[in-house]
Amino acid sequence: MKSTTKLLLAIAMLLPLLSFGQTQASNWYFGEGAGLRFNNDGSVTAVTDGKLNTTEGCATISDDTGNLLFYTDGIRVFTKDHTIMQNGTGLYGDPSSSQSALIVPNQKDTNIFYIFTVDTSVFEADPDYGLNYSTVDMSLDGGKGAVTSKNVRLLDYCSEKITAVLKDCFDKSVWVITYATNDGSEGIFDTFHAFEVNDTGVVTTSVKSKVSSLISDKRGYLKLSSDGTKMASANVSQGLYLYDFDADTGVLTNEQRININAPNKDPYGLEFSPNNELLYVHTYNAQQGLTTETSNLLQYNLMAPSISASEVVLDDRDIYRGALQLGENGKIYRTIATNYDQGTQYLGVINNPNQIGTAAGYQHNAVNLQGKLATQGLPPFIQSFFAKEDLVKNTDGSTSPSLTICEADNFTLEVDNLPGATYTWSLNGVPITNNSNVLNVTNATLADAGKYALEVTPADPAECPIIGEAQVNINPLPIAINTTLTQCDLDSNSTDGFASFNLEQASFDISNGIAENTVNFYASVADRDANLPITNPVGFTNTNFKSQTIYTSVTNENDCVVYAELYLEVQPTTSSLPTKLPYYACDINPLDTEVTGSFNLEDIKTLDYPGLEVNFYASITDASLELNPISGENYISTSATLYARLEASNQCQGVEEITLIVQPTPQVIINDEYYLCTDNPILELNAEPGYDIYQWFKIEANGTENLISSSANTVINTIGNYRLELGYSYNGGAQNCTNSKQFVVTPSNIATITNVEVKDLSNNNNISIIVTGDGDYEYAILDPRGPYQDSNTFTNVPAGILEVFVRDKKGCGTTTPYSVSVIGYPKMFTPNGDAINDTWQINGISTTFLAKSDIYIFDRYGVLVAKIDPSSNGWDGDSKGIPAPESDYWFRAKLENGRDFNGHFSLKR
């Protein structure tokens, strides 16, 4: 460790108030009711009692023992009891200001705190109040505090960013820095203003550092490194800049622009690694009107020859911009909002921020905020709160703020030796007797875990004290139990004392039933120490006669290892395996080509092997190595041989053969439906021959079944639901394999023709046959042999006396002929004696149909020419014995049924 005052000031410029516990940052409140509590063991606990509702800026402060004092969004101040502090409203921060507030303690009066606020304007009528500070006195209101002065103006106009760092441990003052114009008026930013806060209060005249860049974008974070030597400024659309900072003078120099190469180029959140060598940046795409927000988490190596070229993308996803903030456990936390208005219930975490590249270990959605929402901001602190010397020295010479080991390991914490210095160590705040720069812990127990702190007081009182800290996590060892594995000798020489073992079968017992642990097996202690495990733990054959010791290691999820021994024992067997009586099952599906049955292996275990651990296997090899066990209450198999491995306390007691036999099951071939002719109610059904069991059942409406026949055939005389069961009988009737099928008997009968609707005297005569009955019918005209059709309507039927027929499709018969009259007449006749069309008569009238009808014929002058008898051949063309002339004639028909119609026709000679 360097002993010069300058280096010590750069490493650990700490005030007595800023104790080595660094607990002023133990509590965070942010977002919409979200909060975190940092625990002594390095873990964090989400707290849900916060009252903030802020889109971005916020600030929190705790006392030097980690108790919450108050918190704010830059507008309202809340006490430790989460109520509004006296006079704690109307501060000039803004919920849309990136870093709306930052809290600085007075270094002389421990009751006095200053809340610095930076405002912003989000709409035209919204005033921008610039940089202000308000004073809190914690001695008031019973220790809850009160705001005693409010909104003391320092700059009329400034950016949304603010940061702070300790000046030095002797002056007991803090620098508070923001970005503005030279005089604090509205305009383009070109000057950083550093205001000193000392034991007299806030010095209102700033130390100004004019820079060459010109910035008008107010958004984004400003952060100092914890050692006070570097400062970074994120200016969203106008880029990322890095500066050197002199804590003695408050002056910034050496402006460098860091070029962002990632897809999202607008920087917002910033944070330095605990060792101040790396810079983390949360960038996003600030373009307006995007439907999907995108962002990157970037790392830059400040020690690299080209900082811009050292960029590493740690995360790239569709989320909005967010803050980065170092926690007192040495991890950096990230907000992961969905968009400007919508936060999420999680924070991301960089677990190893001193590591370069992906070794930094970014974890998304790492902290669950228990239903509360993180938005864009996290509380900033005086960065010196996090200025600590790492106490863990790595083998490569680097240092770390934390160490994770396994129980019973040794560890060392140390800083460089400073001659004459006093070393004060503590664990979780409890002093450790050790005035040395090195702390050795051997055979560590779980009680040795926690936060180790070291305060180094140099011999020269002019030099600042040095604060060191380390978080030591100790993972418990797994439990390992020495175990015996007994194997039955099942090979061809079953008494030679050698057998194949499945060593993995002992893993559960060796690891005390913790399935997540990993067990490895070694042939010797030397192999175990050299980590040369047995390559074939499944199928390992002992090399010593009848018994052998195997050496094991048990590794838990934290890579902690313990050792145990596995004792192998070989149990001789007889030359042939004992055989149990066969087990029978019936073919599940007689319709497929494979004969398979269902066996209840659990019942076999319970009934035939009481008091033993039994597993079934398909081969003797599987049984020997306990591979691919078969189990279940519904094991589907063809006829086969299984091997039952018998064990007690996981030790092989023997193996038996069991035979599974699947018997054929009948196919039931029967129609789904039969028809009972209700006008002749007898239906005889016959099942196929060759079965041992015939059962015919009538199924009643309530679901009960009545046996109606135990023969191959049966007579059914009622409609309803039925079931036929057929079966084979095996083993003298001890086993029946049956199958059944339900069928239905539905009614049918010969149709009754109730009417025939006729539409005649047209170019397309048609009839519709109307019937009643239970059957499914088809229809024909003219010929009882058909053809038949499903429709009861016939079109283009000829005029005349027609016979119609109705047939039951279910076989109950055909109706007797039913005659119907279709009226029609010829349009012309030729009474010339050639026996063709020699007479004219109305068709569809006969001696049996409409015989009492009257038909009159008139010439075109309306003179009656003839009257026709419906039962005659018709008019022969003579009128009063004289041939009527060739002409058109009219007729009128008055039918017996009351129908009256007329028409005309032609006489041709």
Side-chain angles (χ1 to χ4, degrees):
M1 180 180 294
K2 302 292 186 182
S3 60
T4 64
T5 301
K6 191 69 176 178
L7 180 59
L8 290 170
L9 290 173
I11 293 176
M13 298 178 295
L14 300 174
L15 297 173
L17 175 65
L18 306 178
S19 67
F20 58 78
Q22 306 298 297
T23 53
Q24 287 83 359
S26 291
N27 298 282
W28 294 7
Y29 286 93
F30 51 92
E32 297 177 13
L36 286 183
R37 167 71 185 177
F38 286 80
N39 305 312
N40 283 336
D41 63 0
S43 65
V44 295
T45 301
V47 292
T48 58
D49 52 3
K51 300 300 181 183
L52 291 186
N53 188 354
T54 177
T55 305
E56 297 183 68
C58 53
T60 312
I61 194 71
S62 302
D63 65 18
D64 57 5
T65 58
N67 298 307
L68 175 67
L69 293 176
F70 62 90
Y71 57 98
T72 180
D73 58 4
I75 302 169
R76 299 176 299 168
V77 184
F78 293 89
T79 70
K80 62 183 178 182
D81 295 332
H82 311 287
T83 60
I84 297 292
M85 183 177 284
Q86 286 186 7
N87 196 31
T89 60
L91 275 66
Y92 282 165
D94 195 290
S96 187
S97 175
S98 301
Q99 292 171 282
S100 178
L102 189 146
I103 302 169
V104 177
N106 182 287
Q107 304 308 313
K108 182 177 181 181
D109 188 341
T110 57
N111 286 313
I112 301 300
F113 293 83
Y114 305 101
I115 303 174
F116 289 85
T117 59
V118 285
D119 195 11
T120 190
S121 177
V122 294
F123 53 90
E124 185 174 351
D126 181 22
D128 188 338
Y129 294 117
L131 174 65
N132 295 267
Y133 75 92
S134 301
T135 304
V136 172
D137 187 343
M138 290 302 297
S139 68
L140 302 177
D141 193 21
K144 295 181 181 179
V147 177
T148 57
S149 68
K150 190 184 301 183
N151 300 323
V152 178
R153 185 69 52 84
L154 296 174
L155 294 173
D156 291 332
Y157 186 79
C158 68
S159 65
E160 299 178 12
K161 53 184 102 269
I162 189 170
T163 189
V165 73
L166 187 66
K167 180 179 180 182
D168 64 56
C169 64
F170 300 110
D171 291 342
K172 300 180 180 180
S173 59
V174 173
W175 292 113
V176 177
I177 304 173
T178 191
Y179 200 13
T181 60
N182 184 65
D183 59 1
S185 62
E186 187 169 354
I188 303 299
F189 305 140
D190 62 358
T191 303
F192 285 96
H193 293 259
F195 292 90
E196 184 177 347
V197 181
N198 56 35
D199 55 5
T200 64
V202 179
V203 179
T204 58
T205 301
S206 67
V207 174
K208 300 178 182 180
S209 299
K210 185 177 178 61
V211 295
S212 58
S213 59
L214 300 175
I215 302 297
S216 59
D217 195 329
K218 301 173 65 176
R219 299 169 295 172
Y221 271 66
L222 187 68
K223 279 289 179 74
L224 281 153
S225 61
S226 62
D227 65 2
T229 63
K230 297 285 184 182
M231 190 181 77
S233 177
N235 305 297
V236 182
S237 63
Q238 292 177 292
L240 173 65
Y241 289 86
L242 181 68
Y243 304 87
D244 290 335
F245 181 69
D246 187 339
D248 286 337
T249 62
V251 173
L252 288 105
T253 57
N254 191 26
E255 180 178 70
Q256 303 177 66
R257 175 156 186 159
I258 299 177
N259 297 315
I260 297 172
N261 300 309
N264 299 288
K265 302 183 182 300
D266 300 313
Y268 181 79
L270 296 171
E271 189 56 280
F272 288 88
S273 61
N275 65 6
N276 305 300
E277 295 180 357
L278 302 172
L279 176 66
Y280 293 89
V281 186
H282 188 164
T283 65
Y284 75 114
N285 190 336
Q287 179 181 346
Q288 297 294 319
L290 295 175
T291 57
T292 301
E293 305 290 353
T294 58
S295 76
N296 293 120
L297 178 62
L298 309 178
Q299 181 199 76
Y300 293 94
N301 186 350
L302 304 183
M303 304 293 105
S306 170
I307 296 174
S308 297
S310 72
E311 176 183 291
V312 176
V313 178
L314 299 180
D315 189 59
D316 182 359
R317 69 180 69 236
D318 294 342
I319 58 173
Y320 195 50
R321 70 188 185 194
L324 297 172
Q325 179 59 49
L326 180 62
E328 66 170 36
N329 59 1
K331 300 180 180 183
I332 295 176
Y333 293 81
R334 176 196 191 193
T335 60
I336 46 180
T338 301
N339 52 49
Y340 184 87
D341 298 310
Q342 183 178 358
T344 67
Q345 298 182 31
Y346 296 92
L347 294 178
V349 174
I350 305 171
N351 287 296
N352 307 301
N354 282 346
Q355 300 297 312
I356 296 174
T358 57
Y362 174 68
Q363 182 182 358
H364 201 66
N365 288 347
V367 179
N368 187 325
L369 298 174
Q370 303 301 316
K372 301 301 182 178
L373 299 180
T375 50
Q376 299 168 47
L378 290 173
F381 297 91
I382 299 172
Q383 288 295 95
S384 304
F385 285 173
F386 310 107
K388 293 166 285 192
E389 181 86 354
D390 292 342
L391 299 181
V392 179
K393 289 196 174 182
N394 302 316
T395 56
D396 62 359
S398 63
T399 62
S400 298
S402 63
L403 173 68
T404 299
I405 62 171
C406 295
E407 185 181 1
D409 285 352
N410 304 327
F411 68 91
T412 298
L413 304 178
E414 62 180 303
V415 294
D416 292 342
N417 186 28
L418 189 62
T422 300
Y423 300 89
T424 305
W425 293 85
S426 68
L427 170 59
N428 297 328
V430 178
I432 298 173
T433 302
N434 180 49
N435 186 24
S436 170
N437 67 308
V438 178
L439 176 65
N440 291 308
V441 177
T442 59
N443 196 26
T445 67
L446 298 180
D448 292 316
K451 183 183 291 184
Y452 287 81
L454 169 64
E455 182 176 9
V456 182
T457 305
D460 185 351
E463 295 183 353
C464 289
I466 301 167
I467 301 300
E469 195 170 283
Q471 180 65 48
V472 176
N473 303 307
I474 300 178
N475 294 319
L477 293 173
I479 298 174
I481 299 175
N482 294 336
T483 302
T484 298
L485 185 61
T486 302
Q487 174 63 296
C488 297
D489 192 351
L490 300 175
D491 57 20
S492 57
N493 188 354
S494 59
T495 59
D496 63 357
F498 295 93
S500 293
F501 287 82
N502 182 350
L503 303 182
E504 293 180 352
Q505 287 295 316
S507 295
F508 185 82
D509 291 334
I510 293 171
S511 62
N512 196 36
I514 307 300
E516 293 76 15
N517 290 347
T518 300
V519 180
N520 284 316
F521 304 90
Y522 306 88
S524 66
V525 172
D527 285 352
R528 185 193 67 191
D529 294 344
N531 194 25
L532 298 173
I534 293 171
T535 58
N536 60 329
V538 179
F540 173 80
T541 300
N542 56 301
T543 57
N544 297 335
F545 176 70
K546 293 189 67 176
S547 64
Q548 185 170 344
T549 299
I550 299 297
Y551 302 90
T552 72
S553 65
V554 179
T555 306
N556 64 15
E557 60 185 356
N558 297 314
D559 291 329
C560 295
V561 181
V562 293
Y563 301 129
E565 294 181 351
L566 173 62
Y567 308 112
L568 304 183
E569 294 182 352
V570 179
Q571 177 175 297
T573 62
T574 57
S575 58
S576 61
L577 297 178
T579 303
K580 299 288 288 184
L581 290 175
Y583 299 90
Y584 294 94
C586 299
D587 185 15
I588 296 172
N589 185 1
L591 299 179
D592 62 16
T593 58
E594 189 174 35
V595 180
T596 57
S598 174
F599 296 87
N600 190 330
L601 300 183
E602 300 307 312
D603 273 356
I604 295 175
K605 289 181 181 180
T606 302
L607 297 175
D608 290 355
Y609 301 101
L612 290 174
E613 302 166 16
V614 182
N615 282 305
F616 298 103
Y617 300 89
S619 71
I620 191 65
T621 300
D622 282 356
S624 175
L625 299 179
E626 298 182 75
L627 298 175
N628 309 310
I630 298 166
S631 63
E633 298 178 354
N634 185 28
Y635 173 61
I636 307 302
S637 175
T638 60
S639 293
T641 297
L642 296 185
Y643 299 88
R645 181 185 175 101
L646 316 180
E647 293 186 344
S649 300
N650 201 30
Q651 308 305 313
C652 183
Q653 304 299 304
V655 175
E656 293 183 347
E657 284 187 357
I658 65 171
T659 302
L660 307 181
I661 298 177
V662 182
Q663 308 281 23
T665 300
Q667 294 186 34
V668 181
I669 301 175
I670 195 170
N671 293 339
D672 295 328
E673 185 176 20
Y674 291 93
Y675 304 94
L676 181 68
C677 297
T678 55
D679 44 8
N680 183 24
I682 296 178
L683 174 64
E684 184 173 353
L685 298 179
N686 295 286
E688 293 198 357
Y691 299 108
D692 302 316
I693 299 170
Y694 295 89
Q695 301 280 336
W696 300 84
F697 296 93
K698 173 73 166 60
I699 304 173
E700 304 300 338
N702 61 4
T704 60
E705 296 186 347
N706 295 319
L707 179 66
I708 59 174
S709 175
S710 295
S711 302
N713 56 12
T714 189
V715 174
I716 295 175
N717 52 24
T718 58
I719 63 174
N721 294 312
Y722 292 83
R723 181 172 68 87
L724 171 61
E725 182 177 291
L726 303 177
Y728 293 119
S729 182
Y730 302 103
N731 305 319
Q735 180 192 18
N736 293 328
C737 291
T738 61
N739 193 15
S740 69
K741 180 179 178 181
Q742 291 188 14
F743 61 94
V744 63
V745 175
T746 57
S748 193
N749 51 31
I750 297 176
T752 299
I753 301 176
T754 60
N755 188 26
V756 178
E757 296 177 351
V758 179
K759 294 182 180 180
D760 53 12
L761 292 173
S762 69
N763 292 328
N764 180 13
N765 297 327
N766 63 77
I767 63 172
S768 295
I769 305 169
I770 309 302
V771 302
T772 60
D774 293 327
D776 184 11
Y777 301 117
E778 54 188 1
Y779 305 86
I781 61 174
L782 303 178
D783 191 337
R785 295 170 299 177
Y788 282 86
Q789 66 180 39
D790 289 336
S791 173
N792 68 332
T793 297
F794 294 85
T795 60
N796 289 318
V797 299
I801 306 300
L802 307 179
E803 287 186 336
V804 300
F805 305 91
V806 181
R807 185 168 66 186
D808 178 35
K809 292 182 180 180
K810 307 304 185 286
C812 289
T814 304
T815 59
T816 58
Y818 185 98
S819 299
V820 61
S821 170
V822 179
I823 302 300
Y825 62 89
K827 301 297 184 180
M828 178 187 70
F829 81 113
T830 56
N832 54 11
D834 62 358
I836 301 174
N837 296 327
D838 280 342
T839 60
W840 184 90
Q841 177 64 283
I842 291 179
N843 299 324
I845 299 177
S846 68
T847 56
T848 56
F849 277 89
L850 307 174
K852 296 180 180 181
S853 299
D854 295 319
I855 303 171
Y856 302 93
I857 299 175
F858 303 91
D859 64 16
R860 61 182 180 169
Y861 301 107
V863 176
L864 179 66
V865 175
K867 179 181 179 183
I868 304 174
D869 184 349
S871 61
S872 68
N873 291 330
W875 185 38
D876 59 2
D878 291 346
S879 176
K880 299 180 180 180
I882 300 173
E886 183 176 283
S887 182
D888 285 344
Y889 290 86
W890 293 84
F891 72 90
R892 181 178 183 182
K894 295 182 177 181
L895 303 185
E896 180 182 343
N897 60 7
R899 189 176 179 187
D900 189 342
F901 61 91
N902 53 46
H904 65 90
F905 60 90
S906 296
L907 186 155
K908 300 287 187 180
R909 292 193 182 275

